Amino acid sequence: MDLILSAIEILMRWDVALALLAGSVGGVLIGAIPGVGPAVAIAILLPATFSMDPIVGLTVLLGIYGSSMYGGAIPAILINTPGTAVNALTTYDGYPMTARGEPRRALSLAYSASFFGGVFSVLCLILFAPVLARVAPMFGSREIFLAALLGIILVIVAHRGQTLIAGALAGLGIFIQSIGLEPVKYSQRYTFDQTWLSGGIDLIVVVLGLFALSQAFVLLTSEDEKIRTTRLRGGLFQGLRELARHPRVAGVSASFGVLMGMIPGVGEFTAQFMSYTYAQRTSKRPEDFGHGSSEGLIAAETANNAVPAAAMVPLLALGIPGEALTAMMLSVFYVHNVVPGPGLFQTRMDFVVALYIALLVLNVLVLIFLLMATRPLVQVVKIPNRFLGICVLTLSFVGVYSLRNSASDCMIAAGFGLFGFVLKRLNMPIVPIILGMVLGNIMEVKLRAGMARVKTPLDFIDRPVAFILFCIIIIVCVAHLRRVWLDRRELKEAEWRSKTRSTRFGGHLFRRRSYLSTERGKTVRARHLPSPRPSTDRD
């Protein structure tokens, strides 16, 4: 109880309250604008948060992170265009409801499901906070290295069908973070005698380039579309009553969100599809899914909003981000000398609980705001793409230059922006680069610290947690290789069946035509042959 009171005291400040309000409202607005998303907004705001108190800066970023998915449901339901990438599954059942004249019901249900998922996740993590405080000290340098390695592996294998390119981009991120002065002996690495590379390539510069500038280029090169929105009539409170009629779907989906959020590299997409699949398989009316099913909408929105609070667990307990947004937040900790990891739960537990309470208050503020301001908020989706692109481009360069007042940083950001633009055009992932930079740095530092007491390779995994993590890494790699082998086997079998069918059908058809033509030829020749003459003996 004293811990909760201490956490509430941290939040009872006017600047924290203002940051929480600005982050929650701003996140909804950002999420409601298709083509922007929370990653762009957080990347632009990162330089500004460095001058704030850590709890204030993190509250703003958490507000945008946690509330953007609420806003992303608005265009997904009304115009079949997800506001954020994780709202893509919302379009499956949200837009069909709008098409049959039920936009108010769909929005109300999405808000209610999102609120339940967010609150459920925060309450679970507040209850498990004492357990995390006990488990976190078991992680030393070797364990954190193995956990970071597991995070990179999970990020790579999560991109099914793009595993090789995801691995290559993660390796590129690890290489980028190694440029500059080496942290132990301060020797030059990959600088090629260029003084502007001596300080390395800043993570925020790369983040702004890959996410903000690349998205600005996408918006500037896309045409403005005339969007027609549906007029909303009536109240938006009925979704709370309808959600209460599906407690099983909501509870299981929120649980999937919590579990998937705590695993680095998994995130909202896996939680959504697992929840949606479960809801469809256990539903009494599975044929309605994809055609305006309330259970499908509940499963999608509950799962994705349960992830943000859970994603803070590996970040706070181990200092390991599970996705790009939490990787950006990690830089805020480092700037203010607040090192996330086992020590944070031992020395600043009130700070951790304060962040979770802030997430809880955030969900309440967002729900109230959306229930009151949805009708005027719908007009946000009509903002032209090119106007948004100019705004994002300008704010991004201002943010990059404000970091170190360096023109070279602006050029590096522009280069990464063009690179990110190319990756987006080719439908290739960007997140592995950022996580490669963050986790690569963690792996290097922890490996050097852990190797000081290691004499043989087996000494590296001689502790229980390290051995468990090593086994999980082996299992994940073997399972992925097995899945790739089975996919290729199924593909070859499918190709063989298709060829066999075409050959059999073609052969049968050819033989049939030959038989008919032969019989027809015999018949024709028989008609025109003269009648046989009797033989005569010529003796």
Side-chain angles (χ1 to χ4, degrees):
M1 190 63 184
D2 294 337
L3 186 63
I4 296 178
L5 293 176
S6 178
I8 293 174
E9 185 178 355
I10 295 175
L11 296 175
M12 293 297 290
R13 291 166 38 186
W14 69 269
D15 53 351
V16 177
L18 184 61
L20 189 59
L21 181 63
S24 58
V25 175
V28 172
L29 293 173
I30 292 297
I33 302 174
V36 181
V40 176
I42 290 176
I44 293 173
L45 286 175
L46 267 181
T49 58
F50 291 161
S51 60
M52 301 177 183
D53 192 78
I55 187 65
V56 178
L58 287 171
T59 301
V60 172
L61 300 182
L62 280 175
I64 294 174
Y65 181 28
S67 62
S68 60
M69 299 173 195
Y70 282 88
I74 296 175
I77 290 172
L78 297 182
I79 61 174
N80 202 24
T81 303
T84 67
V86 297
N87 292 110
L89 204 59
T90 306
T91 61
Y92 285 16
D93 294 287
Y95 185 71
M97 288 186 181
T98 300
R100 67 180 184 225
E102 298 176 335
R104 176 173 56 86
R105 178 193 171 206
L107 286 174
S108 177
L109 195 57
Y111 297 160
S112 303
S114 300
F115 176 75
F116 177 79
V119 171
F120 180 88
S121 177
V122 175
L123 291 178
C124 286
L125 297 172
I126 290 177
L127 293 175
F128 289 137
V131 179
L132 293 174
R134 294 179 182 178
V135 174
M138 298 180 183
F139 283 78
S141 298
R142 306 176 210 172
E143 288 80 7
I144 293 178
F145 167 80
L146 291 172
L149 178 61
L150 176 62
I152 286 185
I153 293 173
L154 289 173
V155 169
I156 294 172
V157 301
H159 292 85
R160 189 170 183 178
Q162 294 181 313
T163 306
L164 293 178
I165 188 63
L169 292 174
L172 176 63
I174 295 173
F175 169 74
I176 292 172
Q177 68 85 28
S178 66
I179 296 174
L181 292 176
E182 185 261 332
V184 177
K185 298 181 179 179
Y186 298 102
S187 59
Q188 299 279 344
R189 294 192 303 192
Y190 308 113
T191 57
F192 306 103
D193 295 329
Q194 301 294 319
T195 56
W196 59 279
L197 285 175
S198 299
I201 298 178
D202 194 89
L203 173 66
I204 309 305
V205 175
V206 179
V207 166
L208 282 166
L210 288 177
F211 286 94
L213 289 177
S214 65
Q215 189 62 30
F217 296 150
V218 170
L219 293 170
L220 289 172
T221 54
S222 60
E223 297 181 357
D224 296 331
E225 298 180 0
K226 294 182 179 180
I227 299 174
R228 295 181 179 180
T229 56
T230 305
R231 186 176 180 182
L232 301 178
R233 297 178 180 178
L236 293 167
F237 290 92
Q238 71 174 26
L240 294 170
R241 296 191 298 270
E242 189 169 0
L243 179 69
R245 294 199 292 267
H246 303 283
R248 176 184 53 81
V249 175
V252 173
S253 300
S255 301
F256 275 128
V258 172
L259 292 175
M260 296 300 106
M262 289 190 293
I263 301 175
V266 179
E268 294 91 349
F269 291 104
T270 305
Q272 274 186 314
F273 281 103
M274 290 179 68
S275 303
Y276 195 86
T277 303
Y278 168 81
Q280 187 174 18
R281 288 181 178 178
T282 59
S283 175
K284 295 180 180 179
R285 302 184 63 182
E287 67 277 2
D288 290 345
F289 280 70
H291 302 282
S293 171
S294 58
E295 292 178 284
L297 186 58
I298 289 172
E301 285 296 305
T302 304
N304 63 24
N305 278 270
V307 170
M312 298 298 292
V313 170
L315 177 67
L316 296 174
L318 304 176
I320 297 175
E323 57 182 359
L325 299 180
T326 50
M328 298 180 199
M329 295 180 195
L330 185 63
S331 61
V332 180
F333 283 96
Y334 288 151
V335 166
H336 295 284
N337 292 323
V338 179
V339 181
L344 186 64
F345 279 80
Q346 294 176 335
T347 59
R348 300 289 301 275
M349 191 64 188
D350 55 345
F351 181 83
V352 176
V353 177
L355 289 178
Y356 285 134
I357 294 177
L359 279 171
L360 184 63
V361 176
L362 160 73
N363 283 278
V364 177
L365 290 176
V366 171
L367 182 65
I368 295 173
F369 173 71
L370 285 172
L371 293 178
M372 295 175 59
T374 293
R375 290 179 182 84
L377 192 62
V378 170
Q379 305 304 317
V380 175
V381 303
K382 297 182 179 181
I383 298 178
N385 289 335
R386 293 176 181 174
F387 175 76
L388 286 175
I390 290 294
C391 293
V392 172
L393 192 69
T394 304
L395 292 173
S396 300
F397 277 118
V398 169
V400 171
Y401 188 78
S402 66
L403 286 173
R404 296 185 289 193
N405 296 331
S406 172
S408 61
D409 284 347
C410 294
M411 291 187 289
I412 293 173
F416 278 104
L418 291 174
F419 182 56
F421 176 71
V422 172
L423 291 178
K424 288 182 177 180
R425 287 297 188 190
L426 296 175
N427 292 321
M428 293 182 180
I430 295 177
V431 175
I433 301 176
I434 303 300
L435 291 180
M437 290 186 66
V438 176
L439 296 178
N441 184 37
I442 294 172
M443 289 169 60
E444 180 182 5
V445 173
K446 297 302 179 182
L447 180 62
R448 291 197 175 205
M451 291 298 293
R453 299 180 180 179
V454 173
K455 296 181 180 179
T456 63
L458 293 178
D459 292 342
F460 202 85
I461 55 173
D462 61 352
R463 293 188 290 204
V465 176
F467 181 74
I468 292 172
L469 289 172
F470 177 75
C471 292
I472 294 174
I473 290 173
I474 297 299
I475 292 171
V476 170
C477 292
V478 172
H480 176 70
L481 293 175
R482 181 176 180 274
R483 187 179 66 183
V484 171
W485 180 75
L486 289 176
D487 289 344
R488 290 187 176 181
R489 183 179 177 182
E490 291 177 359
L491 181 61
K492 289 181 179 180
E493 288 180 355
E495 292 177 354
W496 181 80
R497 289 195 192 102
S498 62
K499 290 180 179 179
T500 304
R501 288 174 182 173
S502 62
T503 303
R504 287 177 178 176
F505 179 75
H508 175 73
L509 185 62
F510 174 76
R511 288 193 299 271
R512 179 65 176 168
R513 287 178 177 173
S514 300
Y515 172 77
L516 291 176
S517 61
T518 303
E519 293 297 319
R520 190 178 296 113
K522 289 180 179 179
T523 305
V524 171
R525 285 195 296 272
R527 286 178 181 175
H528 296 280
L529 285 175
S531 57
R533 296 180 181 178
S535 60
T536 55
D537 295 334
R538 296 180 180 178
D539 295 330

